[in-house]
Amino acid sequence: MIKQILIIIFAIVAFTAISTAQVTKEENLARTAHISVTGGEDAGPSYQPNHLIDGIKGVDGQGEWAIKTHIYFWGDRDYPTIKMSWKKVQTIGKLVFYDRPALNQHIGGGELTFSDGTRMQVFSIPNDGSPKAISFPPKKVSWIQFDPTDGDGDLIGLSEMEAYTKGDKASMIQYTKTTKPVDGDWVSWVDPNIETNRGRWFFCTPGSRPFGMMAAAPYTRNKNQGGGGYNYNATDVLGFGQLHCWVLSGIDFMPTTGGIDPTLGVEGRKSAIKHEKEIIQPGYQKLFLERYKTQVEMTCTERVSFYRMTYHEKAKADLLVSLGGRLGSVTMIGAECKQVSPTRIEGKIGTTDRMWGGPSLTWVFFVIDFDKPFNQLNGWKGMNRLTNISELAMPFAPDRTKVQFERSEFVKYILTTHPDEQAGFSAAYDVNAGDVLQMKIGVSLTSIENARNNLEQECPHWNFDQVKQDAHDDWNRWLGRIQVKGGTQDQKIKFYTDLWHVLLGRHKIEDVNGDYPTYFGGKTLSTGTLKVETVDKGADGKPMHHMYNSDALWLTMWNLNILWGLGWPEMLDQFTQSWMEYAKHGGMLPRGPGSGAYTKIMGGCPATSLFTCAYQKGLLKHVDPEKAFAQMKKDHLPGGMQGVTEFYDQNGWTPTKVGEPVQWAFEDWALAQMAKKLGKEEDYAHFMKRSAGWTNYYSPKYGLLMPKDKDGNLLSDNPLSGTGWMEANSWQGTFSISHGLLTLASLMGGKDSLIKKLNFAFEQAAPSDFVFGYRDGYVSYANEPGLSNAHVFNKAGAPWLSQYWVRRVQEQAYGGVTPNTGYGGHDEDQGQMGGVSALMAMGLFSVTGTCDIEPTYEITSPIFDEVKITLDPRYYSGKEFIIKTYHNSRENRYIQSARFNGVALNKNWFYHKEFAKGGILELWLGSKPNKQWGIEGSATK
Ligand SMILES: [Ca+2]
Ligand SMILES: [Ca+2]
Ligand SMILES: [Ca+2]
């Protein structure tokens, strides 16, 4: 004890001596600042804010500031704000942050705001308390605020903050992309690190092909929905998960050396990494595990992950494959596997405890091949280590998945590590420095035979570089469908990163031979047992289409439905086929299908917008429109997926809720458009009537749609409160009544009133970059509701305001290219914010989601000089569609004039059928709005 105290005293003296030495060189201006902290809960006298500037740094338990913060059940947390202020203006050119040295408490990064209004991002603050310096051109400021945005642990805090006048070159650049962008190589423009600080499980998966089943990726902190994903600010890799899907994950790999005890879980086997040694891009990742002196490379085919380990030291190597316990969004249970040859292991795992619902138990089957026979196979079950095994079976209690918890108890249970559920095996090798080991994991969701077949069909060889090249070429083909010229390097990086996310988050669930799983048949349509189905085969014996795992497709009429239709029309064709196949077994069009059954995440029947726009654009090539219509109609009636009440069916509105009914109304309108084209007048009349009932929500008092009770009384007197809305509020949601904007305008007193009101909303939201939490703020581009708002001016006769606000939203909410920024920092799911960002960058949109009988695109000013879309010859008669801009710049965001195929265009929109023929749209831009351009027919078409 005395020895420890002496060490601490020595440490304090030593560190004080260092800071004294710095004072003689340059004064640490933080020491004279006033420190204040807002938010969070006081953690006691040992952790007061003044410890941030007491000169004691990097000493565990001494001179630290820390705070208790609220952590939400899905893993997000409220962060405090730290402000350093001075009585007199100071010149500051460098800040140095020290995290608390405790490795289980970490502030990884955040945002700096200076009193002159400028802001900066801070990344990769070392977890161990070593200094993080940030230099910048000196600023004259009276205060500096730090808002952490990424942290881990129950008492997050910092050990010290310093401020100096002079910066240094070394800490001037905070973040650089790991690969250099090369013209024509679209993959090289993608930066997977962008906004990974939230660490969402399926957000950053380099080991994936477009829509492939396999989505391998290292994962870092176990936060955020029970699965950390890959977080740039984290300093340790915990393992490499193979599947990163909506409510589906499985098979956790970690190459270790030195006889790690696997029963200690991820904390016992994690390894430090340094980004300087890393390459991360679509289809390939290379990183170095510092602890194991092992370089890991990873690539993939559609259903196979492929690892190449290069060892830098002689060692006892163990390739650990964990098959039990929590991984990402599921818990792995009931694992079984066996060695079938000196280089092959086959088996299966059950997955359960899905945080957002779905089947209570689903299976993942796998075949793992090693390129060299292992010396020995070892394993673990619960806390027991097993040596020299040839098979492994975890006791599986069928009741395990039937336990019904209260929601809070359930979340607490699934986010707790249960050591008795751990299981896995490890393949043991003796390696020398320079030795290479390779491993492939083939997966299937239906059977071991199919996993074996997937592996053997897609990757029968050990040529890692070939697979890496194939993955690269595959991504290049997909990304290259839209090619841009001009813009800044960052804008181009962001654009291709957006496209990557648009093509990344959703995954195939069928095998090479077309088999796929369903779990229908239980009482709640999600408690069934595995039934293997197969998709129809064509004359060549090959599956006719794919089956997909996906989140809700909630409100994708404002992003994916438009963008996929432009660049990848087969995705609309594919999804409609896949969704009809689900309906065949489960009776409903899915909303967020998870590994072969429904999750019903979010609301409404989002399939309708997707099906309708595919039909109207002529992309419904394989589904019979009559059958699709009949299915949608069923889903729009009480008892169907849309979830409408009898009252809504009769009246077009429903008491207490407003967010969902506004969505239902749009879907009803879209379905009515399809009915009209199919000649179904009665259905047209019924759904048009329903789609018009939303006017009951209009409150003349607030000039917005507000929740009401059955007698029409307002249920809220605060339009920003979110009452009655789904992840939105009255300001964000009112203008999302896309099919009823003219009616909305007349309710508000005319188009000018609507324009004025919406413009006011954007002005209110601009200082916060149009980014808010689920219910706050006048406009939010950080989540799905209201993603059409900036384009509404185009429909209301003020296209110059769409041009203005689209550019600002694109830059402020989506322009970030750092690990902290890029998608609004809040709730990018599976490429929807990315989809809006890309559409804004291209200058195309469709407020009604191309669901009109004659679908149209509205025009704003692209950020690029040229956007070239290669048209898919299977769907479109034209070869390419080009958008060219002249005099484009950040300031020149206003369209002065336009030509469509050489002919003057005076309206702000054109037809999809014109796009399909190919052509060129030319836009002349200027710094002042031309209020005469684009007003012709803008709202009444
Ligand atoms: Ca301190
Ligand atoms: Ca720490
Ligand atoms: Ca969302």
Side-chain angles (χ1 to χ4, degrees), residues 763-786:
E763 281 168 353
Q764 300 307 301
S768 301
D769 295 334
F770 317 99
V771 160
F772 293 92
Y774 284 130
R775 284 163 203 93
D776 308 326
Y778 287 78
V779 171
S780 180
Y781 273 83
N783 198 26
E784 286 88 344

PDB file of all heavy atoms in Angstrom, residues 763-786:
ATOM      1  N   GLU A 763     -34.467  27.377 -41.582  1.00  0.00           N
ATOM      2  CA  GLU A 763     -33.622  28.386 -40.919  1.00  0.00           C
ATOM      3  C   GLU A 763     -33.384  28.019 -39.455  1.00  0.00           C
ATOM      4  O   GLU A 763     -32.280  28.199 -38.934  1.00  0.00           O
ATOM      5  CB  GLU A 763     -34.273  29.772 -41.016  1.00  0.00           C
ATOM      6  CG  GLU A 763     -34.059  30.409 -42.368  1.00  0.00           C
ATOM      7  CD  GLU A 763     -34.924  31.640 -42.589  1.00  0.00           C
ATOM      8  OE1 GLU A 763     -35.799  31.940 -41.733  1.00  0.00           O
ATOM      9  OE2 GLU A 763     -34.736  32.282 -43.638  1.00  0.00           O
ATOM     10  N   GLN A 764     -34.410  27.485 -38.813  1.00  0.00           N
ATOM     11  CA  GLN A 764     -34.251  27.074 -37.410  1.00  0.00           C
ATOM     12  C   GLN A 764     -33.270  25.920 -37.264  1.00  0.00           C
ATOM     13  O   GLN A 764     -32.541  25.822 -36.288  1.00  0.00           O
ATOM     14  CB  GLN A 764     -35.610  26.653 -36.805  1.00  0.00           C
ATOM     15  CG  GLN A 764     -36.671  27.719 -36.790  1.00  0.00           C
ATOM     16  CD  GLN A 764     -36.195  28.993 -36.138  1.00  0.00           C
ATOM     17  OE1 GLN A 764     -35.801  29.007 -34.979  1.00  0.00           O
ATOM     18  NE2 GLN A 764     -36.199  30.078 -36.893  1.00  0.00           N
ATOM     19  N   ALA A 765     -33.281  25.037 -38.258  1.00  0.00           N
ATOM     20  CA  ALA A 765     -32.476  23.806 -38.145  1.00  0.00           C
ATOM     21  C   ALA A 765     -31.042  23.981 -38.640  1.00  0.00           C
ATOM     22  O   ALA A 765     -30.166  23.193 -38.290  1.00  0.00           O
ATOM     23  CB  ALA A 765     -33.152  22.677 -38.932  1.00  0.00           C
ATOM     24  N   ALA A 766     -30.812  25.031 -39.429  1.00  0.00           N
ATOM     25  CA  ALA A 766     -29.487  25.195 -40.052  1.00  0.00           C
ATOM     26  C   ALA A 766     -28.324  25.256 -39.050  1.00  0.00           C
ATOM     27  O   ALA A 766     -27.290  24.612 -39.273  1.00  0.00           O
ATOM     28  CB  ALA A 766     -29.495  26.419 -40.968  1.00  0.00           C
ATOM     29  N   PRO A 767     -28.453  26.020 -37.936  1.00  0.00           N
ATOM     30  CA  PRO A 767     -27.306  26.072 -37.009  1.00  0.00           C
ATOM     31  C   PRO A 767     -26.933  24.705 -36.435  1.00  0.00           C
ATOM     32  O   PRO A 767     -25.807  24.505 -36.002  1.00  0.00           O
ATOM     33  CB  PRO A 767     -27.790  27.008 -35.904  1.00  0.00           C
ATOM     34  CG  PRO A 767     -28.891  27.815 -36.521  1.00  0.00           C
ATOM     35  CD  PRO A 767     -29.552  26.892 -37.502  1.00  0.00           C
ATOM     36  N   SER A 768     -27.873  23.747 -36.418  1.00  0.00           N
ATOM     37  CA  SER A 768     -27.574  22.394 -35.933  1.00  0.00           C
ATOM     38  C   SER A 768     -27.320  21.431 -37.084  1.00  0.00           C
ATOM     39  O   SER A 768     -27.431  20.213 -36.919  1.00  0.00           O
ATOM     40  CB  SER A 768     -28.728  21.864 -35.084  1.00  0.00           C
ATOM     41  OG  SER A 768     -28.947  22.713 -33.995  1.00  0.00           O
ATOM     42  N   ASP A 769     -27.002  21.990 -38.253  1.00  0.00           N
ATOM     43  CA  ASP A 769     -26.681  21.161 -39.426  1.00  0.00           C
ATOM     44  C   ASP A 769     -27.843  20.272 -39.861  1.00  0.00           C
ATOM     45  O   ASP A 769     -27.624  19.214 -40.461  1.00  0.00           O
ATOM     46  CB  ASP A 769     -25.445  20.289 -39.181  1.00  0.00           C
ATOM     47  CG  ASP A 769     -24.189  21.112 -38.993  1.00  0.00           C
ATOM     48  OD1 ASP A 769     -24.163  22.238 -39.515  1.00  0.00           O
ATOM     49  OD2 ASP A 769     -23.256  20.631 -38.325  1.00  0.00           O
ATOM     50  N   PHE A 770     -29.073  20.643 -39.509  1.00  0.00           N
ATOM     51  CA  PHE A 770     -30.267  19.864 -39.898  1.00  0.00           C
ATOM     52  C   PHE A 770     -30.214  18.445 -39.311  1.00  0.00           C
ATOM     53  O   PHE A 770     -30.689  17.494 -39.915  1.00  0.00           O
ATOM     54  CB  PHE A 770     -30.398  19.787 -41.432  1.00  0.00           C
ATOM     55  CG  PHE A 770     -30.117  21.088 -42.119  1.00  0.00           C
ATOM     56  CD1 PHE A 770     -28.881  21.346 -42.697  1.00  0.00           C
ATOM     57  CD2 PHE A 770     -31.087  22.085 -42.140  1.00  0.00           C
ATOM     58  CE1 PHE A 770     -28.615  22.556 -43.303  1.00  0.00           C
ATOM     59  CE2 PHE A 770     -30.828  23.308 -42.755  1.00  0.00           C
ATOM     60  CZ  PHE A 770     -29.582  23.542 -43.340  1.00  0.00           C
ATOM     61  N   VAL A 771     -29.594  18.357 -38.152  1.00  0.00           N
ATOM     62  CA  VAL A 771     -29.385  17.055 -37.537  1.00  0.00           C
ATOM     63  C   VAL A 771     -29.893  17.098 -36.104  1.00  0.00           C
ATOM     64  O   VAL A 771     -29.474  17.950 -35.321  1.00  0.00           O
ATOM     65  CB  VAL A 771     -27.876  16.719 -37.567  1.00  0.00           C
ATOM     66  CG1 VAL A 771     -27.536  15.662 -36.547  1.00  0.00           C
ATOM     67  CG2 VAL A 771     -27.450  16.290 -38.960  1.00  0.00           C
ATOM     68  N   PHE A 772     -30.827  16.222 -35.792  1.00  0.00           N
ATOM     69  CA  PHE A 772     -31.380  16.169 -34.439  1.00  0.00           C
ATOM     70  C   PHE A 772     -31.645  14.730 -34.036  1.00  0.00           C
ATOM     71  O   PHE A 772     -31.609  13.836 -34.877  1.00  0.00           O
ATOM     72  CB  PHE A 772     -32.703  16.955 -34.373  1.00  0.00           C
ATOM     73  CG  PHE A 772     -32.528  18.437 -34.557  1.00  0.00           C
ATOM     74  CD1 PHE A 772     -32.621  18.994 -35.817  1.00  0.00           C
ATOM     75  CD2 PHE A 772     -32.237  19.243 -33.476  1.00  0.00           C
ATOM     76  CE1 PHE A 772     -32.444  20.353 -35.998  1.00  0.00           C
ATOM     77  CE2 PHE A 772     -32.058  20.609 -33.648  1.00  0.00           C
ATOM     78  CZ  PHE A 772     -32.156  21.162 -34.909  1.00  0.00           C
ATOM     79  N   GLY A 773     -31.948  14.554 -32.765  1.00  0.00           N
ATOM     80  CA  GLY A 773     -32.341  13.236 -32.274  1.00  0.00           C
ATOM     81  C   GLY A 773     -33.711  12.872 -32.823  1.00  0.00           C
ATOM     82  O   GLY A 773     -34.239  13.545 -33.712  1.00  0.00           O
ATOM     83  N   TYR A 774     -34.306  11.824 -32.284  1.00  0.00           N
ATOM     84  CA  TYR A 774     -35.530  11.300 -32.879  1.00  0.00           C
ATOM     85  C   TYR A 774     -36.679  12.278 -32.942  1.00  0.00           C
ATOM     86  O   TYR A 774     -37.501  12.212 -33.829  1.00  0.00           O
ATOM     87  CB  TYR A 774     -35.983  10.051 -32.127  1.00  0.00           C
ATOM     88  CG  TYR A 774     -35.175   8.835 -32.466  1.00  0.00           C
ATOM     89  CD1 TYR A 774     -34.629   8.044 -31.475  1.00  0.00           C
ATOM     90  CD2 TYR A 774     -34.969   8.487 -33.788  1.00  0.00           C
ATOM     91  CE1 TYR A 774     -33.890   6.920 -31.790  1.00  0.00           C
ATOM     92  CE2 TYR A 774     -34.233   7.377 -34.114  1.00  0.00           C
ATOM     93  CZ  TYR A 774     -33.705   6.587 -33.106  1.00  0.00           C
ATOM     94  OH  TYR A 774     -32.979   5.476 -33.419  1.00  0.00           O
ATOM     95  N   ARG A 775     -36.798  13.174 -31.990  1.00  0.00           N
ATOM     96  CA  ARG A 775     -38.001  13.996 -31.958  1.00  0.00           C
ATOM     97  C   ARG A 775     -37.715  15.487 -31.950  1.00  0.00           C
ATOM     98  O   ARG A 775     -38.630  16.280 -32.060  1.00  0.00           O
ATOM     99  CB  ARG A 775     -38.842  13.628 -30.725  1.00  0.00           C
ATOM    100  CG  ARG A 775     -39.574  12.326 -30.919  1.00  0.00           C
ATOM    101  CD  ARG A 775     -40.072  11.737 -29.626  1.00  0.00           C
ATOM    102  NE  ARG A 775     -40.255  10.305 -29.820  1.00  0.00           N
ATOM    103  CZ  ARG A 775     -39.336   9.407 -29.543  1.00  0.00           C
ATOM    104  NH1 ARG A 775     -38.184   9.771 -29.012  1.00  0.00           N
ATOM    105  NH2 ARG A 775     -39.556   8.123 -29.772  1.00  0.00           N
ATOM    106  N   ASP A 776     -36.457  15.876 -31.771  1.00  0.00           N
ATOM    107  CA  ASP A 776     -36.160  17.297 -31.638  1.00  0.00           C
ATOM    108  C   ASP A 776     -36.008  17.958 -33.000  1.00  0.00           C
ATOM    109  O   ASP A 776     -35.734  17.291 -33.990  1.00  0.00           O
ATOM    110  CB  ASP A 776     -34.849  17.503 -30.860  1.00  0.00           C
ATOM    111  CG  ASP A 776     -34.858  16.740 -29.554  1.00  0.00           C
ATOM    112  OD1 ASP A 776     -35.946  16.642 -28.974  1.00  0.00           O
ATOM    113  OD2 ASP A 776     -33.787  16.252 -29.145  1.00  0.00           O
ATOM    114  N   GLY A 777     -36.137  19.272 -33.000  1.00  0.00           N
ATOM    115  CA  GLY A 777     -35.739  20.051 -34.172  1.00  0.00           C
ATOM    116  C   GLY A 777     -36.835  20.204 -35.204  1.00  0.00           C
ATOM    117  O   GLY A 777     -37.758  19.400 -35.301  1.00  0.00           O
ATOM    118  N   TYR A 778     -36.704  21.264 -35.985  1.00  0.00           N
ATOM    119  CA  TYR A 778     -37.714  21.623 -36.981  1.00  0.00           C
ATOM    120  C   TYR A 778     -37.572  20.789 -38.257  1.00  0.00           C
ATOM    121  O   TYR A 778     -38.536  20.537 -38.956  1.00  0.00           O
ATOM    122  CB  TYR A 778     -37.588  23.107 -37.322  1.00  0.00           C
ATOM    123  CG  TYR A 778     -38.087  24.004 -36.205  1.00  0.00           C
ATOM    124  CD1 TYR A 778     -37.310  24.246 -35.070  1.00  0.00           C
ATOM    125  CD2 TYR A 778     -39.335  24.593 -36.280  1.00  0.00           C
ATOM    126  CE1 TYR A 778     -37.763  25.047 -34.049  1.00  0.00           C
ATOM    127  CE2 TYR A 778     -39.808  25.406 -35.259  1.00  0.00           C
ATOM    128  CZ  TYR A 778     -39.014  25.622 -34.137  1.00  0.00           C
ATOM    129  OH  TYR A 778     -39.481  26.416 -33.127  1.00  0.00           O
ATOM    130  N   VAL A 779     -36.327  20.437 -38.574  1.00  0.00           N
ATOM    131  CA  VAL A 779     -36.031  19.616 -39.749  1.00  0.00           C
ATOM    132  C   VAL A 779     -34.932  18.674 -39.316  1.00  0.00           C
ATOM    133  O   VAL A 779     -34.001  19.096 -38.644  1.00  0.00           O
ATOM    134  CB  VAL A 779     -35.489  20.482 -40.921  1.00  0.00           C
ATOM    135  CG1 VAL A 779     -34.972  19.604 -42.046  1.00  0.00           C
ATOM    136  CG2 VAL A 779     -36.553  21.442 -41.445  1.00  0.00           C
ATOM    137  N   SER A 780     -35.014  17.389 -39.652  1.00  0.00           N
ATOM    138  CA  SER A 780     -33.898  16.507 -39.322  1.00  0.00           C
ATOM    139  C   SER A 780     -33.564  15.589 -40.490  1.00  0.00           C
ATOM    140  O   SER A 780     -34.430  14.869 -40.990  1.00  0.00           O
ATOM    141  CB  SER A 780     -34.189  15.662 -38.081  1.00  0.00           C
ATOM    142  OG  SER A 780     -33.056  14.834 -37.825  1.00  0.00           O
ATOM    143  N   TYR A 781     -32.322  15.649 -40.875  1.00  0.00           N
ATOM    144  CA  TYR A 781     -31.831  14.758 -41.932  1.00  0.00           C
ATOM    145  C   TYR A 781     -30.991  13.634 -41.353  1.00  0.00           C
ATOM    146  O   TYR A 781     -30.185  13.038 -42.056  1.00  0.00           O
ATOM    147  CB  TYR A 781     -31.088  15.570 -43.005  1.00  0.00           C
ATOM    148  CG  TYR A 781     -32.038  16.083 -44.060  1.00  0.00           C
ATOM    149  CD1 TYR A 781     -32.764  17.251 -43.870  1.00  0.00           C
ATOM    150  CD2 TYR A 781     -32.268  15.352 -45.212  1.00  0.00           C
ATOM    151  CE1 TYR A 781     -33.673  17.694 -44.824  1.00  0.00           C
ATOM    152  CE2 TYR A 781     -33.180  15.779 -46.172  1.00  0.00           C
ATOM    153  CZ  TYR A 781     -33.877  16.944 -45.973  1.00  0.00           C
ATOM    154  OH  TYR A 781     -34.782  17.368 -46.920  1.00  0.00           O
ATOM    155  N   ALA A 782     -31.187  13.343 -40.060  1.00  0.00           N
ATOM    156  CA  ALA A 782     -30.421  12.286 -39.414  1.00  0.00           C
ATOM    157  C   ALA A 782     -31.221  11.008 -39.250  1.00  0.00           C
ATOM    158  O   ALA A 782     -30.763  10.056 -38.631  1.00  0.00           O
ATOM    159  CB  ALA A 782     -29.927  12.772 -38.055  1.00  0.00           C
ATOM    160  N   ASN A 783     -32.438  10.981 -39.782  1.00  0.00           N
ATOM    161  CA  ASN A 783     -33.288   9.794 -39.678  1.00  0.00           C
ATOM    162  C   ASN A 783     -34.345   9.877 -40.774  1.00  0.00           C
ATOM    163  O   ASN A 783     -34.509  10.916 -41.405  1.00  0.00           O
ATOM    164  CB  ASN A 783     -33.923   9.729 -38.279  1.00  0.00           C
ATOM    165  CG  ASN A 783     -34.441   8.352 -37.954  1.00  0.00           C
ATOM    166  OD1 ASN A 783     -33.967   7.339 -38.469  1.00  0.00           O
ATOM    167  ND2 ASN A 783     -35.434   8.300 -37.091  1.00  0.00           N
ATOM    168  N   GLU A 784     -35.065   8.795 -41.023  1.00  0.00           N
ATOM    169  CA  GLU A 784     -35.912   8.700 -42.207  1.00  0.00           C
ATOM    170  C   GLU A 784     -37.030   9.743 -42.335  1.00  0.00           C
ATOM    171  O   GLU A 784     -37.231  10.284 -43.428  1.00  0.00           O
ATOM    172  CB  GLU A 784     -36.528   7.292 -42.301  1.00  0.00           C
ATOM    173  CG  GLU A 784     -35.570   6.203 -42.722  1.00  0.00           C
ATOM    174  CD  GLU A 784     -34.829   5.570 -41.559  1.00  0.00           C
ATOM    175  OE1 GLU A 784     -34.831   6.164 -40.453  1.00  0.00           O
ATOM    176  OE2 GLU A 784     -34.245   4.486 -41.731  1.00  0.00           O
ATOM    177  N   PRO A 785     -37.804  10.033 -41.267  1.00  0.00           N
ATOM    178  CA  PRO A 785     -38.962  10.908 -41.494  1.00  0.00           C
ATOM    179  C   PRO A 785     -38.543  12.305 -41.979  1.00  0.00           C
ATOM    180  O   PRO A 785     -37.592  12.885 -41.467  1.00  0.00           O
ATOM    181  CB  PRO A 785     -39.605  11.005 -40.109  1.00  0.00           C
ATOM    182  CG  PRO A 785     -39.139   9.801 -39.385  1.00  0.00           C
ATOM    183  CD  PRO A 785     -37.740   9.553 -39.889  1.00  0.00           C
ATOM    184  N   GLY A 786     -39.228  12.797 -42.981  1.00  0.00           N
ATOM    185  CA  GLY A 786     -38.982  14.162 -43.448  1.00  0.00           C
ATOM    186  C   GLY A 786     -37.790  14.319 -44.368  1.00  0.00           C
ATOM    187  O   GLY A 786     -37.327  15.428 -44.607  1.00  0.00           O
TER     188      GLY A 786
END
